[in-house]
Amino acid sequence: MTRLVRTFVADTGEVDALLRPRDDIVLETPAETLGGSHRFELAEGPFTSYSRLVEVSRAAGQPAGQVRSSPDSVAARHQVTETVEWRLAVPWFGPAFNIAVRRAMRTGRTGDGTQPIWAPPRRFTPRAATVMAMLAAAAMLSGYLANAPSELHTYAADEFGADQAAQGLLGAVVRIGTLLAIGVSVLADRHGRRRIVAGAMGVGIAAAALAALAPSMVWLGAFLLIGRTANAALGATVVVMALEEIPAGCRAWCLSVLAMSAALGAGVVVWLQPISDLAPWAWRLLFAFPLVALAAARPLLRRLPESRRFETRGRNVVLSGYWRPIALLGAIYLAFGLFLGPIDWFRNEYLRDEHGFSAALVSLFVLGTATPAGLAVYAAGRLADSRGRRIILAVASVLGLGSLVAMFNVSGAALWLAGLVGAMLSAGLLPALGVYRGELFPTALRARAATITGAMGVVGAALGVLMAGWLRTAWGSFGEVIALLWAGPLLAAAVAVTWLTEHSRQELEELHPADAAADPEGPWPPRL
């Protein structure tokens, strides 16, 4: 329990403001008044418990009379003691958020429902806050498991004597593993999101540990294929579950927070990457590192509830009725994957081979460009919810990805600047585009549709990695290759801006009436 006590002297106008129920990060009940004490309780907000007690008395030197005076006596002074006690419904990340909450309790009173910049655009319930925190923790693990192959394959290739073509093949094979996650997503739609999150976390950690023991590039690819399948299922299910728990007006913000959490997990790989220079086999230690997450996985899964929308889903829906949005959104993801896959897979190789970066300098470059991008993705999520998704998509595709193209064609200080600008401006792609994986499909099909469209992006990434590896070998440089592949995202952005519509302020049941009229006792599973 956190407790904040303030004692100060206030005039009548300030006292009147203090005695009105808060309506910002917390919504308070009307005050219970006893003498000079006024107690407010929790009506709505991301807290398991909350209370505010305001005690008002005459300030020293003030004449006796009523504590709350008429409007003409605003100059009257009063002694005020305000005591606020709360417990956030935010596991693990609560101490960090408490710093901001304490400041908001002290100074951040709006009274019109406006939320602080660090909070979601709309006030959360305790359940939404708890689920969001737990899914953010799962996203951190997912980020680590997703980034480890991209960061470490170049060191594994050195130990196994594999060339760049073999590395490109490895990248393609690993990414194709996401297609297998489509089968897992069927289980998520039939049996629930929570079970898939639990199983995928366990299999992903085990596969990473086995990759640390791989005796050859072939075995490494096999273990990473299993891990990628589990992690793709984990990532897609976390996104779907979050979108199903979060209120309208917050979905892009939600994805930006999940992206920041995944980026933090991916950043751990980068922080540890200099270990790979200690010995030819040292990269194996980083694949074994996720074993430490087992200690946190059990309490997370014990407290994580099933998605509330899954429990009341509409069941009389069929996948065949949604092939058009699946195909179009999947094609958009595929086009972006053609470009982003090679960027992710070959960035370290490019920095090491064409610029002579050491492992430590590679880590410094990635951290120096990716850390500000974390703030950018958060800002993009809020802007996508308040200003619209399509403008964010356009800016990210043209200016953001264009800067990444420049990064592969310049050197020196311009290399660092282009990497920084590209990472920050392209960060809006995930929240602005990712929301459609939840909004375009009903609950009974959402996990499958989200996984299929995400898998199309991975297919594009695999094709892009193969093309980039082959063309780089033929052309001798990455610059022209990356510039050529940029055509895919530009075309996809034009299609997205033209076709996709804005649904930020609508609940998912408004978009899919079958969910609003769901009969929990209806037939299941749906006909495919």
Side-chain angles (χ1 to χ4, degrees):
M1 179 75 72
T2 304
R3 192 167 189 260
L4 174 66
V5 180
R6 297 193 300 152
T7 300
F8 53 95
V9 175
D11 62 33
T12 301
E14 293 170 327
V15 170
D16 285 342
L18 285 169
L19 297 185
R20 287 194 293 268
R22 293 187 67 131
D23 183 10
D24 39 60
I25 188 175
V26 60
L27 178 63
E28 296 176 338
T29 60
E32 297 179 2
T33 302
L34 180 62
S37 297
H38 310 265
R39 178 175 291 278
F40 302 85
E41 300 291 346
L42 176 68
E44 182 181 274
F47 304 92
T48 56
S49 63
Y50 172 90
S51 68
R52 182 168 67 96
L53 177 65
V54 181
E55 298 172 289
V56 185
S57 60
R58 286 187 298 110
Q62 291 291 311
Q66 292 184 344
V67 171
R68 295 187 66 185
S69 308
S70 67
D72 295 331
S73 58
V74 174
R77 309 297 288 174
H78 309 281
Q79 183 80 16
V80 179
T81 299
E82 182 183 49
T83 304
V84 189
E85 295 180 326
W86 71 89
R87 179 178 288 113
L88 279 172
V90 180
W92 296 304
F93 306 101
F97 276 98
N98 250 336
I99 298 173
V101 171
R102 178 181 288 271
R103 179 176 176 81
M105 292 300 175
R106 185 184 296 273
T107 62
R109 189 185 304 273
T110 63
D112 60 358
T114 302
Q115 302 298 298
I117 189 66
W118 51 266
R122 292 181 60 185
R123 191 167 39 237
F124 271 17
T125 63
R127 175 187 170 110
T130 300
V131 171
M132 188 67 201
M134 289 189 284
L135 293 178
M140 287 178 60
L141 173 64
S142 179
Y144 187 100
L145 296 176
N147 196 40
S150 297
E151 298 292 340
L152 302 177
H153 72 90
T154 182
Y155 305 103
D158 288 344
E159 180 180 352
F160 296 133
D163 59 15
Q164 290 172 342
Q167 293 178 56
L169 180 60
L170 174 67
V173 169
V174 169
R175 281 168 166 78
I176 293 299
T178 304
L179 295 174
L180 302 178
I182 297 174
V184 181
S185 69
V186 175
L187 300 178
D189 278 337
R190 290 172 182 251
H191 302 295
R193 322 311 194 191
R194 184 181 179 278
R195 293 184 184 181
I196 300 305
V197 170
M201 288 176 65
V203 173
I205 292 172
L210 290 173
L213 303 175
S216 66
M217 203 73 166
V218 173
W219 279 105
L220 177 65
F223 294 137
L224 293 183
L225 177 64
I226 296 172
R228 187 61 175 242
T229 301
N231 197 43
L234 174 62
T237 308
V238 163
V239 167
V240 167
M241 194 170 185
L243 293 176
E244 290 177 349
E245 289 288 335
I246 301 305
C250 297
R251 287 189 288 266
W253 176 90
C254 158
L255 292 187
S256 71
V257 171
L258 292 180
M260 291 175 66
S261 302
L264 181 59
V268 175
V269 183
V270 180
W271 299 337
L272 299 177
Q273 189 172 334
I275 295 175
S276 302
D277 271 345
L278 298 179
W281 51 266
W283 58 271
R284 299 173 182 271
L285 298 176
L286 276 69
F287 276 114
F289 184 76
L291 289 170
V292 303
L294 289 174
R298 183 174 180 181
L300 183 152
L301 297 173
R302 186 171 59 247
R303 297 179 61 183
L304 182 66
E306 182 54 80
S307 161
R308 61 186 175 89
R309 284 189 165 100
F310 176 80
E311 293 176 335
T312 58
R313 64 199 177 278
R315 305 187 180 198
N316 295 317
V317 291
V318 292
L319 190 64
S320 59
Y322 289 86
W323 279 120
R324 182 178 179 275
I326 288 175
L328 196 47
L329 190 59
I332 293 171
Y333 268 88
L334 186 146
F336 277 106
L338 282 171
F339 179 84
L340 295 174
I343 292 284
D344 177 56
W345 190 254
F346 286 115
R347 181 194 59 236
N348 289 4
E349 188 76 8
Y350 166 70
L351 295 174
R352 294 179 73 211
D353 282 6
E354 298 192 20
H355 294 280
F357 279 28
S358 64
L361 195 55
V362 168
S363 295
L364 180 62
F365 181 89
V366 174
L367 290 174
T369 57
T371 301
L375 300 176
V377 74
Y378 183 85
R382 287 191 71 97
L383 288 173
D385 277 327
S386 61
R387 304 295 183 185
R389 289 79 178 269
R390 290 179 290 187
I391 183 63
I392 302 297
L393 276 172
V395 171
S397 302
V398 176
L399 300 181
L401 300 187
S403 297
L404 294 180
V405 172
M407 183 187 77
F408 278 82
N409 286 275
V410 296
S411 60
L415 171 70
W416 293 75
L417 179 61
L420 174 62
V421 174
M424 292 186 67
L425 294 183
S426 63
L429 286 174
L430 191 148
L433 189 59
V435 291
Y436 293 103
R437 296 170 69 185
E439 292 178 352
L440 293 178
F441 311 104
T443 301
L445 306 175
R446 190 169 290 127
R448 272 171 288 179
T451 306
I452 291 171
T453 53
M456 292 294 289
V458 175
V459 170
L463 294 174
V465 167
L466 285 174
M467 291 175 59
W470 179 74
L471 290 175
R472 198 275 183 187
T473 302
W475 295 356
S477 175
F478 280 111
E480 295 179 352
V481 176
I482 299 301
L484 175 65
L485 295 176
W486 187 29
L490 291 178
L491 177 60
V495 173
V497 169
T498 302
W499 176 69
L500 298 177
T501 56
E502 304 285 354
H503 299 298
S504 175
R505 298 295 178 179
Q506 294 178 273
E507 294 289 352
L508 296 178
E509 288 78 9
E510 296 178 64
L511 302 176
H512 302 287
D515 287 336
D519 176 11
E521 303 302 322
W524 187 257
R527 178 176 56 85
L528 298 180

